[in-house]
Amino acid sequence: MSELKTLTAKEVQEKLEAGESLHLIDVREDDEVAEGMIPQATHIPMGDISMHLDELDTETEYVLICRSGRRSENVGWFLHDHGYKVVNMTGGMLEYQGETKPKA
């Protein structure tokens, strides 16, 4: 069994602050992202991921985000098993110290 790639919340923050372009997907629920999410992230709740597969590119690497890193890991395995390139942000938004803003 292969391993799911990971980045820490700090590593994601550092990459964004350095100007790197990351494809972020926040899989938390609406009420969670209303409190704040990484501005560059796209919000697709965990339960809706399967309905959005046609919007994702199998050649693009996606960094998955949730509150603590557990739900995003589960989504990561689901996407991985469907041929997508994914990275789980470990520690989730609980450990992310960068800029956030409520979902527009």
Side-chain angles (χ1 to χ4, degrees):
M1 183 166 160
S2 62
E3 281 189 34
L4 197 61
K5 289 173 65 175
T6 62
L7 285 172
T8 66
K10 183 171 180 53
E11 289 170 327
V12 170
Q13 179 184 344
E14 289 169 352
K15 287 177 178 291
L16 291 172
E17 289 173 354
E20 282 191 48
S21 177
L22 300 176
H23 297 277
L24 308 172
I25 299 177
D26 193 321
V27 301
R28 296 177 297 155
E29 297 301 319
D30 290 336
D31 60 325
E32 293 174 290
V33 295
E35 296 175 11
M37 62 186 280
I38 299 171
Q40 298 90 332
T42 298
H43 177 226
I44 306 174
M46 179 179 181
D48 295 345
I49 285 287
S50 63
M51 294 180 284
H52 291 271
L53 294 180
D54 60 336
E55 299 169 20
L56 304 177
D57 179 5
T58 55
E59 296 304 312
T60 299
E61 184 174 79
Y62 297 98
V63 178
L64 304 171
I65 303 163
C66 71
R67 180 177 167 272
S68 67
R70 191 55 70 193
R71 280 178 285 176
S72 54
E73 180 182 13
N74 290 335
V75 171
W77 281 116
F78 172 79
L79 290 173
H80 177 270
D81 290 347
H82 282 80
Y84 294 90
K85 298 176 184 175
V86 293
V87 178
N88 183 38
M89 185 175 93
T90 60
M93 292 303 290
L94 288 174
E95 293 186 11
Y96 186 78
Q97 299 295 311
E99 178 190 2
T100 63
K101 62 182 181 183
K103 181 180 177 187

